[in-house]
Amino acid sequence: MALLELRDVRKVYHLGGEEIRALDGITLDIEGGEFVSIIGPSGSGTSTLMHILGCLDTPSHGTVKLDGTPIQQASARELAQMRNRKIGFVFQFFNLLPKLNVVQNVELPMIYAGLNGKQRREKALKALDAVQMGHRLKNRPSQLSGGQQQRVAIARALVNDPKIIFADEPTGNLDTHTGEIILELFRSLSQQGRTVIIVTHNPEIAAVTPRRIEIRNGKIADRVDARLAGQEKAALLSKSSAVQPSP
């Protein structure tokens, strides 16, 4: 059984009497531990697909299963519970709360999960150490570089020990070198057994992943086993991983 299963998934919106098919018959399996990119031009349906895969939305037609559990009939509360327990999100603009310091930002998902203060702090410190941000606990986001903010966002995505991490254009606001460090971190998380799904419009980012799924006009246009491209890019990433991130 795949971790994520989609069968003939469609998402239809009605705007001004017009029917818009954002997704038009997607059938797809993603296994546990896969490192996958979903790529397509703006308006192709990539964001809609991420929302459905990430339990942020439900399909108009078809079936979606997360870890064997169907989501298409789930209530908003049930979807929120699935997201909190099984999914972590990383976004292009980091989405850190400016008035909270680093450790407080990372603790947020655990408040909704019902953990007590001691548990939250212990898990937050562990996650921040894993992304080499344990030395900036009291800093606020405005005191961090873009790469540092993204590593804090990754720590926040990790604290509830999710099975899946979704990264929506995670290097879009970073310079090339910092972006490569962040991508290497995602690759490392995949090697540890987590499923990592990157949504991007950038073919260079997609080339990092062993599997690339191209979406056009709401359909899967191409499935590329990009192992060669991934290996070539991985060689560059392995060099960058030897460089310590800026303090």
Side-chain angles (χ1 to χ4, degrees), residues 61-72:
H61 174 84
T63 61
V64 179
K65 291 183 179 180
L66 169 59
D67 205 16
T69 301
I71 76 161
Q72 57 271 12

Side-chain angles (χ1 to χ4, degrees), residues 170-233:
T171 64
N173 274 350
L174 306 176
D175 62 77
T176 300
H177 176 68
T178 305
E180 288 177 345
I181 293 172
I182 294 300
L183 289 173
E184 173 62 21
L185 179 53
F186 284 126
R187 187 163 70 98
S188 174
L189 291 171
S190 175
Q191 291 171 342
Q192 294 168 23
R194 297 184 194 274
T195 300
V196 178
I197 301 174
I198 295 178
V199 180
T200 183
H201 302 308
N202 188 336
E204 292 186 5
I205 302 303
V208 173
T209 64
R211 183 181 178 194
R212 185 165 72 246
I213 301 167
E214 184 178 349
I215 306 295
R216 290 186 180 274
N217 299 318
K219 299 177 181 288
I220 295 180
D222 192 15
R223 301 187 190 194
V224 181
D225 188 353
R227 287 186 176 86
L228 180 58
Q231 288 169 0
E232 292 171 349
K233 191 70 176 179

Side-chain angles (χ1 to χ4, degrees), residues 89-90 102 105-107 109-110 123-133 148-162 165 185 189:
F89 291 95
V90 179
V102 164
N105 266 285
V106 174
E107 286 180 338
M110 295 181 285
K123 294 189 72 172
L125 293 177
K126 182 178 179 180
L128 286 163
D129 283 342
V131 298
Q132 300 179 36
M133 286 298 294
Q148 289 170 334
Q149 289 186 64
Q150 194 60 296
R151 280 184 280 147
V152 173
I154 293 171
R156 182 183 57 191
L158 289 173
V159 288
N160 280 338
D161 196 26
I165 295 176
L185 179 53
L189 291 171

Side-chain angles (χ1 to χ4, degrees), residues 96-105 108 138-141:
L96 301 176
L97 297 185
K99 293 185 178 181
L100 301 183
N101 64 30
V102 164
V103 71
Q104 289 169 335
N105 266 285
L108 276 177
K138 299 301 181 181
N139 290 112
R140 294 191 178 187

